[in-house]
Amino acid sequence: HCVEMSGTPPYLPYVEIIEEVISSPRSPAALREALGDVAAEIARIAPALRRAFPDIPPPIELPAELARRYVWNSFSEFMGRAAQRQPLLLVLEDLHWAGESTVLLTEYLAPLLPDMPVLVLGTYRDDEVDLNHPLARVIGQLGRRRLMEQVSLHRLSFDGVRAMLRALAGQPAPEQLAQVIDRETEGNPFFVEEVYLHLVESGVLLDQLGQLRADLRLEEVSVPESIRLVLGQRLGHLAASTREVLIAAGVFGRVFATELVGEVADADSDALVEAFDEAERARLVAPGRVPGELMFSHELIRQTLLSGVSAVKRERLHLRASEAISRRYSDDLEAHAADLAYHLSNAGNAGDRASLVRYLMVAGDRAFDAAAFNDSVGHFEHALALIPVSDELGRAELLERLAMALRSVGRWEDALRTMNEALDHYEALGRAADIGRLGWAMVYQLTWNGQLVEAVAVCRRAMAPLGDTASADKARLLSALGRALSASGDYPTAVATF
């Protein structure tokens, strides 16, 4: 699933697929065989693999501009090997909420699929994908290259609505009932089911023997005007304690850990079990992919729950969620940095800003290590907007991180401008070692771009604070300076520099 949340882990639906395989009863040996020699790269995006297979070595150290493509290539190798055992169908749900990393990996895989026994099926709501949506660009490109087939799911016909009602009720639906539900839902299958459940719970649809009433009058079928009202009325049948638990679950997203919800809702174990039991009977939640995890049956259910909650209460719930995660995973907070950043971002003024900045930086670093550079840029830019101006060293280090992420997504000019700003901070602080490291990165980028005059200027600027000290960064800068001088035709000076 893709989810409507900021700060989700990179490549989320693909990571879920891998985690599903890890937790399934299939042979672990088959998974390890499919991973082969790219296990280290796949573990970049799915760290759970390292818990399942402690023998996975560390990933290869590569320049950032190569790391992302190497991860993608490794994933295609992994998928190809897995498909040799049996054909694969990968289903990516709700791509209208997909992060940039998911969209780009899917785009990369598409040309390779014709040579594999693999089908990737993606679902999305076309009314949520406008021309500026990243998915629209990929759909357009893949369509022109005939690498995908687009299937529009039309609304059900009247006969389809009638057939669906028969399946739901286990008996033929009266004509009048089918006509009313068809008109009110316009054949949307999800709406049909929700309206049917609403009528059942309202007590007007079935007689005492559980049969659909043949004498149902039109005025008795109080079909709501909108699906949100349907859901709201269905939720209104729940016990107040169950609604409070589900609201607490809603702040975690569509999928949630039941124990964390108990802490946020301040519900004891018995109350929690009763609440989730009632919600599952009402088909509002369903079991998740791992023990101790549940998920809302539809994202609209979660949105409806939260839409009825005040902004102040939502902020308090997000704060309690961050505290619950901090307590539960105190020995491994970095692995949950993105979740903590999400909740603290939505906790309003009650959230600790310093903690938010720290978790945004960790989330940015983890996204960078997973070659999800667009996600990394987003985390670092968010942190930069929050870090105090007085924290000059913190801003310098954050600017340097942001610059490397910008460079990795091809935003060369933005990267160089950000590097220059970070270098100004380091110079003001007299941080010679940092100046040498960042100066080398700037020179590397400028030389790559063919901006030799600028590269020479930065080399000399960065070497000045280093003085006569010997260091790896100074050696790199001298080498880069010699290369730039050589490329510009000043061979004697270049030889002396080398």
Side-chain angles (χ1 to χ4, degrees):
H1 300 87
C2 303
V3 295
E4 190 185 25
M5 281 177 57
S6 59
T8 54
Y11 311 108
L12 177 61
Y14 291 103
V15 173
E16 278 196 352
I17 289 170
I18 294 170
E19 291 176 346
E20 177 76 20
V21 176
I22 293 173
S23 62
S24 75
R26 298 189 185 102
S27 167
L31 174 58
R32 188 64 183 89
E33 180 184 343
L35 289 166
D37 57 1
V38 298
E41 295 304 313
I42 306 303
R44 279 182 187 265
I45 65 174
L49 283 170
R50 294 194 178 278
R51 293 194 293 272
F53 304 109
D55 66 312
I56 294 179
I60 298 172
E61 292 294 330
L62 290 171
E65 58 270 21
L66 300 178
R68 178 166 63 177
R69 190 167 183 87
Y70 192 60
V71 168
W72 294 351
N73 186 58
S74 299
F75 192 90
S76 70
E77 286 186 31
F78 162 55
M79 198 165 63
R81 272 196 293 267
Q84 289 173 5
R85 298 179 65 89
Q86 66 177 38
L88 297 181
L89 169 65
L90 309 184
V91 183
L92 311 181
E93 284 271 47
D94 295 327
L95 281 174
H96 48 276
W97 290 324
E100 187 84 9
S101 58
T102 297
V103 173
L104 292 175
L105 177 55
T106 306
E107 181 182 17
Y108 173 81
L109 293 173
L112 307 176
L113 295 178
D115 297 324
M116 302 181 190
V118 177
L119 176 65
V120 176
L121 177 68
T123 70
Y124 71 98
R125 297 184 201 160
D126 53 5
D127 58 355
E128 296 198 30
V129 178
D130 58 24
L131 293 176
N132 297 319
H133 196 289
L135 186 62
R137 177 190 62 79
V138 172
I139 289 172
Q141 288 194 2
L142 298 184
R144 284 191 295 272
R145 298 168 63 187
R146 301 187 184 282
L147 292 171
M148 60 164 279
E149 180 181 351
Q150 200 161 3
V151 180
S152 296
L153 298 183
H154 301 291
R155 297 180 184 274
L156 296 176
S157 65
F158 173 70
D159 287 340
V161 170
R162 187 161 49 188
M164 186 170 178
L165 289 171
R166 177 173 186 144
L168 288 167
Q171 55 185 290
E175 189 79 4
Q176 184 171 283
L177 173 65
Q179 287 176 352
V180 171
I181 292 182
D182 178 60
R183 185 183 67 243
E184 295 296 330
T185 64
E186 297 182 352
N188 182 304
F190 173 66
F191 294 178
V192 169
E193 181 174 13
E194 290 303 312
V195 170
Y196 169 81
L197 292 172
H198 162 65
L199 294 175
V200 170
E201 293 169 0
S202 299
V204 300
L205 188 61
L206 305 176
D207 61 22
Q208 293 180 342
L209 299 176
Q211 299 296 307
L212 291 173
R213 286 174 51 193
D215 61 342
L216 193 71
R217 298 190 306 274
L218 189 62
E219 59 269 22
E220 289 184 279
V221 185
S222 56
V223 179
E225 295 179 359
S226 72
I227 193 61
R228 284 196 181 275
L229 183 55
V230 173
L231 291 171
Q233 290 179 329
R234 282 192 63 208
L235 294 169
H237 292 293
L238 299 173
S241 56
T242 298
R243 284 199 304 275
E244 288 300 311
V245 167
L246 292 180
I247 288 169
V251 302
F252 287 97
R254 186 173 178 185
V255 181
F256 52 89
T258 56
E259 290 185 353
L260 288 174
V261 172
E263 292 189 45
V264 173
D266 195 22
D268 60 38
S269 58
D270 290 339
L272 203 62
V273 168
E274 287 183 13
F276 287 134
D277 186 54
E278 182 182 7
E280 193 166 350
R281 287 198 310 272
R283 289 199 269 181
L284 297 171
V285 300
R289 63 185 186 277
V290 298
E293 194 174 76
L294 292 175
M295 64 182 294
F296 287 102
S297 301
H298 197 281
E299 175 64 15
L300 284 175
I301 296 169
R302 185 182 78 89
Q303 292 177 6
T304 302
L305 280 162
L306 293 180
S307 67
V309 178
S310 69
V312 173
K313 183 173 180 178
R314 282 200 301 272
E315 288 178 354
R316 187 186 69 181
L317 289 171
H318 279 292
L319 180 62
R320 297 187 68 171
S322 70
E323 293 168 348
I325 293 171
S326 297
R327 287 192 298 270
R328 179 72 56 179
Y329 304 110
S330 58
D331 58 341
D332 190 20
L333 289 180
E334 289 196 358
H336 301 273
D339 291 333
L340 287 163
Y342 166 72
H343 290 298
L344 288 171
S345 296
N346 288 280
N349 294 329
D352 180 59
R353 177 171 287 201
S355 296
L356 174 54
V357 170
R358 182 170 73 255
Y359 291 129
L360 283 168
M361 291 177 68
V362 172
D365 288 338
R366 290 177 70 87
F368 191 95
D369 292 341
F373 302 120
N374 295 87
D375 296 337
S376 184
V377 168
H379 290 311
F380 290 146
E381 287 181 337
H382 189 180
L384 195 61
L386 297 171
I387 196 168
V389 177
S390 57
D391 186 1
E392 195 162 9
L393 178 58
R395 290 187 70 83
E397 292 173 341
L398 186 50
L399 284 164
E400 183 177 356
R401 285 176 161 95
L402 174 59
M404 299 310 166
L406 289 168
R407 182 182 71 177
S408 300
V409 297
R411 293 170 56 181
W412 314 116
E413 295 304 319
D414 290 340
L416 287 169
R417 184 176 64 253
T418 306
M419 287 179 187
N420 196 61
E421 188 178 348
L423 199 59
D424 288 342
H425 284 290
Y426 284 140
E427 286 177 334
L429 294 166
R431 307 274 299 189
D434 296 320
I435 292 169
R437 180 187 65 254
L438 180 56
W440 155 244
M442 291 180 69
V443 170
Y444 177 91
Q445 189 61 53
L446 289 165
T447 306
W448 182 279
N449 291 357
Q451 298 172 259
L452 301 178
V453 174
E454 294 90 337
V456 170
V458 173
C459 267
R460 289 176 170 152
R461 175 186 176 188
M463 283 193 295
L466 299 179
D468 295 328
T469 59
S471 71
D473 287 319
K474 185 173 182 182
R476 292 190 185 98
L477 287 165
L478 284 166
S479 175
L481 178 58
R483 179 186 175 194
L485 291 168
S486 177
S488 65
D490 187 357
Y491 301 126
T493 309
V495 169
T497 306
F498 282 132

